[in-house]
Amino acid sequence: MLDYLRSFPGQVKSTIGITIVLSIFFILFYFIKLRKINPMEKTPKWIIPFTMVVDLINNFVKTNIGKRWRVYSPYFTTLAIFLFTANTCSIFGLTPPTNYVVNNAALAVLSFLIIQVTGIVSNGILGYLKSFLEPIFLLLPINIISELSLPLSLCLRLFGNILSGTVLSTLITGVLGPFCIPFLPLYNIVFDIGFGIIQTAVFVILSIVFTSMKIKDEEKIYSN
């Protein structure tokens, strides 16, 4: 069994490893930490960074998606956590899953499906199909191509930027050899963490914005 697992490509092992680690972490985090917090008492300092991230995503989703934000926010929060972990896992010696176009394509197609289903739910099937004829029916082929290019754009943007960061890190290490050791923290921050945060934000923000574009304006008004 172990020999079979070792035969997996690096991206597959990284993806499986990250998924298992994140799943275990959040299960333990919930049962050991979160369930013991008393909402009537002062908020523990350790949870503030987590609440800030969740609140940031929730507010952005509320602003762009409106009244159905609770349906979408868990997906986009999970997507952000997974992408950030996948993009920056190279600092722990793992192969970033987002270095491989297949993994990025899966995430892009998932976001694409959510965007299209949102368009159908918000506008109805006829309204959704009619949007491809706007502003004039002659633009139907262009609108279809534009829609189908969305997952390709999300996938290749993430793939190209994360791969470029990995390649640059490898080149610097190869050229400088042992002399690169003093500079390791600097280019890990720039290429691994910096690129990872930026591309996580770009992928998630674009997914939210494209989803918002499929929703009727009157449904984007958020109210408690």
Side-chain angles (χ1 to χ4, degrees), residues 13 38 47 53 73 79 171 174 193:
K13 289 187 283 190
N38 187 344
I47 202 174
V53 172
S73 192
L79 179 64
L171 288 174
I193 299 177

Side-chain angles (χ1 to χ4, degrees), residues 106-206:
L107 295 174
V109 169
L110 181 58
S111 288
F112 174 75
L113 292 176
I114 289 174
I115 292 167
Q116 303 310 313
V117 170
T118 297
I120 295 173
V121 171
S122 179
N123 300 280
I125 295 178
L126 293 179
Y128 169 77
L129 295 175
K130 184 181 176 182
S131 66
F132 288 94
L133 303 175
E134 297 175 348
I136 58 175
F137 71 93
L138 294 175
L139 293 179
L140 174 62
I142 296 176
N143 288 335
I144 293 175
I145 293 172
S146 175
E147 206 68 34
L148 294 177
S149 67
L150 172 58
L152 184 63
S153 172
L154 288 173
C155 170
L156 294 183
R157 181 185 291 107
L158 179 61
F159 168 70
N161 284 282
I162 297 301
L163 182 61
S164 65
T166 302
V167 170
L168 287 172
S169 297
T170 304
L171 288 174
I172 293 172
T173 304
V175 170
L176 296 180
F179 298 103
C180 74
I181 295 176
F183 304 101
L184 283 175
L186 176 61
Y187 73 72
N188 276 337
I189 291 173
V190 174
F191 296 127
D192 296 328
I193 299 177
F195 278 32
I197 292 174
I198 292 172
Q199 292 311 311
T200 298
V202 169
F203 193 100
V204 174
I205 289 172
L206 287 178

